[in-house]
Amino acid sequence: ASVAMDTESTYSGYSHYSGRSRGSHRHGERSRDRHKSRSKDSRSEKSVTINTLPAEPLLGDSSLRGEKVQDDNWGETTTAITGTSEHSLSQEDIVRITKDLEDSVGLDCRHYVTRSIAVILGLLVFFTPLAFLVLPHILWPEKLQSCGTACEGLFISVAFKLLILLLAVWALFFRPARAGLPRVFVFRILLAVLVLLFVISYWLFYSVRILDSQDENYQGIVQYAVSLVDALLFIHYLAVVLLELRQLQPCYSVCVTRATDGETRHYNLGQLSIQRAALAVIEHYYCDFPIHNPALLSASKSRAAKHLAGLKVYNVDGPGNNASAGIAQSQSRAMIAAAARRRDTSHNELYYEEAEHERRVRKRRARLVVAVEEAFTHIKRMQEEEPKKAPGDVMDPREAAQAIFPSMARALQKYLRTTKQQHCHSMESIQQHLAFCITNNLTPKAFLESYLTPGPTLQYGKDHWLGRRWTLISEASVTSGLKDGSIFLLKCVDFSLVVTSRKIPYVQMSEEYIDPKSHKFVLRLQSETSV
């Protein structure tokens, strides 16, 4: 076999394989598929899913990906293609989709079950003190002693404490959910169990010492109910400490790296579990990281493919000759050697390619800036002439944006194509942003900032982040706390985030006293000066 640099030939060196080798190759693929399925099942125990928003159909992800690939001409050349689709679903894909749908349904059911249990427990806690006060009047009213002034004052205390407890529980536990976590929150479960045991113990004592004996001291019963409400208020204070205050002090510094382009951010987190730390990382990602642009990553891949496209391997002995047993190994060595020789000049190609791209970007940017400034100047002229026009001729910001958009559309479209941002901005979103800038009297530079500098994900349309599913992969249990050196991954459809944690070191600070008298100086003047 010999290596040639001829790119016009289409003959492949892999044609020397016989039918037997192809059969063994298919057998090897089947064995590898079985091995992958077994390894996939073993790894599935370590991966869980986080829904950052209320769950949507799984196929919405693929539909969103289809919506992102929009026409660069913004609807000027719309083509409808019918016929056989080139994309197909295998049996494994159908099984995977079914499993993901079952997981999403399970998450929804668990969410409703958890909310129902919380509501039932809250009603039990709220109505238990009232039941303690009402049951004696229903069961043995003739035996009860009269309630004096102190007893009636306790009624007011119970009423206000229950109102405070109701508002506090609503503010802490019945807030809108930020995400659907894969596992339960341990501290919430502990607090719920503590409250349940506490209420059950109070009911047992009440049934044995008050209901069975039909206690006549109603003031003591009221004080018993007041003690229950006081204890519930203290448990709520414990919940505030465990759920809110405990995580405020930073204990760990986490490094978040996007796997595709290496974009990195650092954040300080408190004492959180791995799943809650993952939720905090995702929230920071949407606000801090620039939007993920897969089009920018395809340039390096296409460049590497272009360098290797000219390497062809030929089998001069013919496809049916099996005399040379090590032909595959020799082909690999020949390919590596040829690629190494071409690598010596590839950096020059990369340098000139990047220089040409930067020149085109600067050129498109200059044309865009001039076109936008001229359009905004026209808007200013229209605003100056507006008082002279009739009421029916005055345009609102939306109409003004549609009027001046064609003058800058071509320059903006070419710039977005050059910087590979055309899939991030649609014509409708650009016109809405232009109308917003006109309404709030923003400058042309403020309008262009959204297109010249990539912003965070939340600044773009909802199709870039709405309904996105995240998968948390961790060797440790996701309910365990962060530790020094903890590593976990957050995967979504297009990329993944690698998160590593480091404990903030303990700082030892000492004090050194400086005598104020040591800051005094003496100026010595010499009578003789240099000539």
Side-chain angles (χ1 to χ4, degrees):
S2 61
V3 180
M5 306 302 292
D6 185 8
T7 59
E8 297 178 355
S9 174
T10 59
Y11 181 75
S12 173
Y14 294 104
S15 62
H16 71 277
Y17 286 115
S18 63
R20 179 182 177 185
S21 63
R22 286 195 296 269
S24 62
H25 181 65
R26 288 194 296 269
H27 176 72
E29 287 183 348
R30 288 196 296 268
S31 62
R32 283 196 298 271
D33 291 340
R34 289 195 296 269
H35 177 69
K36 288 182 180 179
S37 63
R38 289 195 297 269
S39 61
K40 189 175 184 179
D41 293 337
S42 63
R43 289 195 300 269
S44 62
E45 298 177 356
K46 298 296 183 180
S47 64
V48 289
T49 304
I50 294 179
N51 294 326
T52 56
L53 285 166
E56 293 190 356
L58 178 66
L59 296 178
D61 293 339
S62 60
S63 62
L64 288 177
R65 291 196 299 271
E67 290 175 1
K68 290 180 184 177
V69 184
Q70 63 176 356
D71 188 8
D72 295 342
N73 295 322
W74 292 324
E76 296 178 3
T77 57
T78 303
T79 304
I81 301 176
T82 59
T84 304
S85 173
E86 61 181 1
H87 300 285
S88 62
L89 288 177
S90 63
Q91 186 68 25
E92 291 79 5
D93 295 334
I94 296 175
V95 172
R96 178 181 56 82
I97 292 174
T98 306
K99 182 178 180 299
D100 291 340
L101 287 174
E102 292 176 354
D103 293 341
S104 63
V105 172
L107 289 174
D108 293 339
C109 294
R110 189 180 64 186
H111 173 72
Y112 289 119
V113 169
T114 304
R115 182 57 61 91
S116 301
I117 294 175
V119 171
I120 293 173
L121 185 59
L123 294 177
L124 177 63
V125 168
F126 182 77
F127 286 107
T128 294
L130 299 179
F132 287 171
L133 299 178
V134 172
L135 287 178
H137 285 282
I138 298 175
L139 298 179
W140 62 94
E142 66 279 354
K143 297 182 181 180
L144 289 178
Q145 298 177 359
S146 61
C147 186
T149 306
C151 180
E152 294 175 354
L154 292 177
F155 284 153
I156 300 176
S157 175
V158 170
F160 277 100
K161 287 180 180 179
L162 283 178
L163 179 61
I164 293 173
L165 181 63
L166 180 63
L167 295 176
V169 170
W170 170 78
L172 183 61
F173 293 102
F174 290 92
R175 292 175 292 182
R178 295 183 300 169
L181 297 180
R183 297 290 183 266
V184 295
F185 191 10
V186 177
F187 285 129
R188 280 180 178 265
I189 298 299
L190 291 177
L191 289 170
V193 172
L194 177 62
V195 170
L196 183 61
L197 294 177
F198 192 76
V199 173
I200 291 176
S201 63
Y202 259 76
W203 269 110
L204 291 176
F205 186 86
Y206 184 82
S207 61
V208 173
R209 298 301 298 270
I210 298 178
L211 291 180
D212 292 345
S213 61
Q214 294 185 356
D215 193 357
E216 301 176 358
N217 186 9
Y218 189 68
Q219 183 175 356
I221 298 175
V222 175
Q223 289 178 348
Y224 184 73
V226 171
S227 66
L228 172 60
V229 178
D230 292 337
L232 292 175
L233 287 174
F234 279 108
I235 292 178
H236 184 272
Y237 173 74
L238 177 62
V240 172
V241 173
L242 292 179
L243 301 181
E244 300 295 332
L245 300 182
R246 182 175 176 268
Q247 63 189 14
L248 293 181
Q249 183 179 2
C251 297
Y252 297 94
S253 175
V254 295
C255 175
V256 185
T257 304
R258 190 159 57 190
T260 52
D261 55 359
E263 192 75 26
T264 303
R265 297 289 187 275
H266 296 268
Y267 305 105
N268 290 338
L269 299 179
Q271 296 180 359
L272 298 172
S273 62
I274 291 180
Q275 63 175 356
R276 292 182 66 82
L279 177 59
V281 167
I282 293 174
E283 292 175 348
H284 284 300
Y285 170 80
Y286 282 134
C287 299
D288 296 342
F289 275 73
I291 187 172
H292 180 257
N293 193 349
L296 295 176
L297 305 175
S298 61
S300 59
K301 296 181 181 179
S302 62
R303 190 184 304 115
K306 182 180 65 175
H307 291 330
L308 296 177
L311 301 179
K312 298 292 181 180
V313 179
Y314 298 93
N315 186 5
V316 296
D317 296 330
N321 190 1
N322 296 327
S324 54
I327 186 170
Q329 185 177 3
S330 62
Q331 288 175 0
S332 302
R333 287 197 299 266
M335 291 281 287
I336 294 174
R341 288 192 297 270
R342 294 201 63 184
R343 190 171 60 245
D344 297 336
T345 59
S346 61
H347 63 280
N348 290 330
E349 299 177 6
L350 175 61
Y351 172 77
Y352 288 112
E353 182 180 348
E354 290 183 350
E356 177 65 19
H357 178 70
E358 292 176 358
R359 186 191 67 81
R360 290 180 58 195
V361 170
R362 289 196 300 267
K363 181 179 179 181
R364 302 295 187 193
R365 177 171 179 167
R367 290 181 177 177
L368 175 60
V369 170
V370 172
V372 172
E373 288 180 350
E374 291 179 353
F376 273 75
T377 303
H378 183 64
I379 284 292
K380 289 182 179 180
R381 289 198 300 266
M382 291 172 59
Q383 290 177 351
E384 294 174 356
E385 299 174 358
E386 190 173 299
K388 305 176 184 179
K389 293 183 178 180
D393 298 335
V394 178
M395 294 188 298
D396 59 4
R398 178 71 177 177
E399 295 174 348
Q402 293 176 352
I404 68 170
F405 177 73
S407 62
M408 68 175 75
R410 184 175 180 82
L412 180 58
Q413 187 181 57
K414 288 186 176 181
Y415 177 79
L416 293 179
R417 285 178 179 176
T418 305
T419 56
K420 301 184 184 301
Q421 300 182 62
Q422 67 273 15
H423 68 283
C424 299
H425 305 278
S426 62
M427 182 178 65
E428 183 68 21
S429 65
I430 294 174
Q431 290 184 356
Q432 290 178 358
H433 181 57
L434 182 58
F436 172 79
C437 295
I438 294 174
T439 304
N440 297 277
N441 198 21
L442 298 182
T443 61
K445 185 177 181 181
F447 168 76
L448 288 172
E449 189 65 23
S450 300
Y451 309 105
L452 301 182
T453 304
T457 308
L458 286 182
Q459 290 188 1
Y460 294 86
K462 290 185 178 181
D463 54 343
H464 293 282
W465 52 267
L466 184 63
R468 174 168 287 176
R469 296 173 60 91
W470 292 85
T471 302
L472 173 60
I473 302 176
S474 173
E475 294 184 356
S477 175
V478 295
T479 57
S480 61
L482 279 178
K483 298 179 182 178
D484 187 17
S486 298
I487 300 175
F488 58 90
L489 270 70
L490 288 168
K491 295 183 65 177
C492 66
V493 178
D494 301 326
F495 59 92
S496 62
L497 301 177
V498 182
V499 184
T500 58
S501 65
R502 290 289 181 268
K503 189 172 183 179
I504 297 178
Y506 176 77
V507 179
Q508 180 68 36
M509 188 178 299
S510 60
E511 179 185 3
E512 182 179 355
Y513 175 74
I514 299 178
D515 189 2
K517 297 181 180 180
S518 63
H519 296 295
K520 296 181 180 180
F521 301 92
V522 177
L523 182 61
R524 297 180 180 179
L525 299 177
Q526 296 181 0
S527 58
E528 298 180 0
T529 58
S530 58
V531 179

